Amino acid sequence: MGNFTTVNNDGAHNLWEQLYFKGIPHPEGMVGVVLGIESTAHTLSFGMVDMNGKTSPSYSNLFRPEEGGIHPREAADHHCLMASDLLRKATSSEMFLDNKIEAIAFSQGPGLGPCLRIGASIARTLSEVWKVPLIGVNHCIAHIEIGKNQTGCKDPVLLYVSGGNTQVIASSRNKYRVMGETLDIGIGNMLDKFARTQGIPFPGGPEIEILAKKYELNKDINENFINLPYGVQGMDMGFSGMLTAAERRIDAGDSLESVCWSLQEHAFASCIEVAERAMAHTGKNELLLGGGVACNTRIREMAKIMCEERGATAYWPEKQFCIDNGTMIAELGRLLHNVGYNTKLSDSAINPMLRTDHTEIIWD
Ligand code: AMP
Ligand code: MG
């Protein structure tokens, strides 16, 4: 039971009691399944992938703060409270009941320490109780691998646009290399922060998309669109300048719809520009979108237009696999399990600062 002491609040203790003392069935079906646990930030999620690569939906719950941003400790408490209910749902599903558990995968990093610790603790517990290997995975790379699983693309440039991360990634010599990234805040974080100043609760991205669409439908083509600072520097991006400028435009009396539209156009164009340059540099002809902001229809449209113009193809998984989800963790866990990789208990500490290019690709 010692490995569970990394979490020291009541929620985790109750969870341990539920898992260990009451027990959860460990069925012995024909096909092996990897269970994945995602807990890097706002979402706790369980999902499964069978050894043939067939995915289950994820069982997820999103932490929505009543006010302000995401406090890591509060999000971790949310994950503790939600864990047994979500796990019960996942372990009542057809895929779980019809198959046998091969391994438990969890997000080892990057992410918020207190949140990561909850997922890691649940994973260690299940791996002990079910006597199956434990596999710590890199969350950013899981976004790539679930995208490849779902869309069939082979060797893409990934535009990873989420709450905390904004990176343009491409594989080269056994690692996923970061070709460019945000120099300040993540693109989703920028959208959420702007939304919060306008009284729109977390997550603000989807509401900004609705407001931008309203403006798009009604805009006058002769109108002067709002210019915001465009934050591309070489292969890197920046979003905090455009956030401040957008807030100022609201203070100056511009409509919320028009500012949301401009914010999307500037932010998405900067990501697509860097992604295009990465494709040109690497010679790759597939672009894969991943991360929660990849749910947005406008960034998808921009990706498609850019790719068509250069004879390439843009891909994105369905929304449930763009946002953080346990199934993507299970998918990377499956690939690692296939090559015999697992994580010893003594190596299972979380790594909040884990980089995309720290992980060697040993599964392709
Ligand atoms: P993730 O961290 O990958 O789970 O993504 C969460 C982020 O995606 C949050 O910042 C959301 O505001 C953002 N997001 C989700 N849906 C949309 C959307 N339709 N348009 C823009 N951003 C979105
Ligand atoms: Mg993510």
Side-chain angles (χ1 to χ4, degrees):
M1 216 196 273
N3 61 38
F4 207 71
T5 54
T6 44
V7 179
N8 56 5
N9 62 32
D10 287 350
H13 185 68
N14 290 342
L15 174 67
W16 169 256
E17 286 195 340
Q18 292 230 19
L19 296 177
Y20 195 81
F21 296 115
K22 294 189 185 150
I24 280 181
H26 182 184
E28 293 288 337
M30 292 301 288
V31 183
V33 159
V34 176
L35 177 73
I37 305 170
E38 158 57 25
S39 72
T40 52
H42 42 66
T43 297
L44 179 71
S45 177
F46 296 84
M48 280 159 279
V49 177
D50 77 16
M51 297 321 282
N52 299 318
K54 186 176 153 212
T55 54
S56 77
S58 291
Y59 301 85
S60 310
N61 199 290
L62 174 69
F63 171 59
R64 294 171 195 270
E66 269 166 33
E67 59 177 40
I70 294 176
H71 188 292
R73 189 70 253 167
E74 288 173 11
D77 286 347
H78 160 271
H79 296 353
C80 265
L81 289 173
M82 290 297 142
S84 24
D85 186 45
L86 290 176
L87 188 58
R88 199 172 305 115
K89 285 186 180 134
T91 54
S92 311
S93 69
E94 212 175 293
M95 185 176 272
F96 182 86
L97 293 173
D98 288 350
N99 299 302
K100 69 174 195 302
I101 288 290
E102 286 274 340
I104 307 294
F106 70 101
S107 278
Q108 203 161 5
L112 306 174
C115 300
L116 285 166
R117 257 177 228 115
I118 302 299
S121 299
I122 299 168
R124 292 185 199 111
T125 306
L126 292 175
S127 145
E128 285 281 305
V129 172
W130 288 338
K131 304 273 178 284
V132 293
L134 180 67
I135 303 176
V137 313
N138 185 319
H139 170 96
C140 302
I141 294 180
H143 275 289
I144 307 178
E145 296 302 340
I146 193 68
K148 284 162 74 178
N149 171 301
Q150 293 291 297
T151 65
C153 67
K154 295 279 177 273
D155 182 23
V157 165
L158 176 81
L159 174 55
Y160 173 33
V161 277
S162 74
N165 298 291
T166 307
Q167 293 183 332
V168 175
I169 299 165
S171 78
S172 169
R173 290 181 292 111
N174 288 342
K175 293 237 172 118
Y176 283 113
R177 313 277 166 182
V178 178
M179 312 273 306
E181 64 187 317
T182 178
L183 296 173
D184 44 49
I185 53 176
I187 185 171
N189 201 326
M190 181 274 286
L191 294 171
D192 297 335
K193 278 188 171 165
F194 176 73
R196 194 157 74 232
T197 65
Q198 302 309 305
I200 301 167
F202 175 84
E207 183 64 24
I208 289 179
E209 178 175 13
I210 293 168
L211 293 165
K213 262 192 198 141
K214 269 193 201 152
Y215 181 74
E216 173 75 36
L217 287 174
N218 299 320
K219 78 178 187 295
D220 175 350
I221 49 166
N222 296 318
E223 204 170 320
N224 283 327
F225 303 122
I226 296 170
N227 265 318
L228 299 173
Y230 183 70
V232 173
Q233 294 173 32
M235 290 294 283
D236 294 319
M237 295 151 274
F239 300 103
S240 56
M242 72 178 75
L243 168 64
T244 309
E247 287 170 15
R248 289 205 181 124
R249 294 303 299 240
I250 295 281
D251 293 345
D254 288 307
S255 76
L256 180 56
E257 283 87 351
S258 64
V259 176
C260 286
W261 184 89
S262 279
L263 205 51
Q264 283 202 168
E265 293 299 302
H266 286 78
F268 298 166
S270 59
C271 296
I272 297 294
E273 180 187 327
V274 174
E276 178 168 28
R277 212 171 301 132
M279 293 174 83
H281 284 323
T282 58
K284 296 188 197 284
N285 58 11
E286 297 171 320
L287 176 68
L288 175 65
L289 302 185
V293 180
C295 295
N296 188 288
T297 49
R298 179 61 179 147
I299 199 167
R300 290 176 174 190
E301 183 183 31
M302 284 188 185
K304 189 162 179 280
I305 294 169
M306 180 272 277
C307 283
E308 277 172 5
E309 282 177 358
R310 52 184 297 108
T313 313
Y315 299 87
W316 48 82
E318 55 179 286
K319 285 187 183 182
Q320 60 163 330
F321 297 130
C322 285
I323 55 171
D324 289 349
N325 65 91
T327 308
M328 71 181 196
I329 305 303
E331 170 60 358
L332 182 49
R334 175 184 78 92
L335 296 169
L336 286 162
H337 185 65
N338 276 342
V339 293
Y341 175 91
N342 59 53
T343 306
K344 282 193 281 185
L345 205 54
S346 54
D347 295 334
S348 68
I350 57 152
N351 182 357
M353 305 302 286
L354 184 64
R355 293 273 305 168
T356 303
D357 45 15
H358 278 174
T359 301
E360 204 172 324
I361 307 170
I362 53 170
W363 56 87
D364 260 352

